[in-house]
Amino acid sequence: GVNSHLHGLEHWRRVHDVGLELAAQTPDADPQVVAAFSVFHDALRVSDGVDPEHGVRGSRLANALVTWLDRDQLRKLLLACSDAH
């Protein structure tokens, strides 16, 4: 979650920055999806250790809250979050 030492705000910021750098070099990458992923992929972690369902929980949260992406972007975001390790 947001207060996690390993997977909190600083981690989200690093994922955002690196993700946008990679998106700039990747055809068809969507910076809006990358930005949303950086927040939602670890938003509902219950542990900094093994937490295999954290991505699925983040995907559900994104599905409930994200209104600024179109249907295709949201689909990509939900898939990316669900596959997060």
Side-chain angles (χ1 to χ4, degrees), residues 53-82:
E53 296 299 315
H54 78 279
V56 173
R57 289 190 302 274
S59 177
R60 289 185 190 130
L61 181 64
N63 194 42
L65 297 178
V66 172
T67 59
W68 59 91
L69 299 178
D70 67 29
R71 178 175 287 197
D72 187 54
Q73 290 173 309
L74 182 60
R75 181 188 59 77
K76 290 175 184 176
L77 172 61
L78 299 180
L79 179 62
C81 286
S82 293

Side-chain angles (χ1 to χ4, degrees), residues 24-65:
Q25 303 168 30
T26 306
D28 299 326
D30 187 325
Q32 289 183 318
V33 174
V34 170
F37 174 82
S38 69
V39 173
F40 286 101
H41 80 285
D42 275 336
L44 293 180
R45 268 190 170 274
V46 295
S47 152
D48 281 327
V50 176
D51 184 2
E53 296 299 315
H54 78 279
V56 173
R57 289 190 302 274
S59 177
R60 289 185 190 130
L61 181 64
N63 194 42
L65 297 178

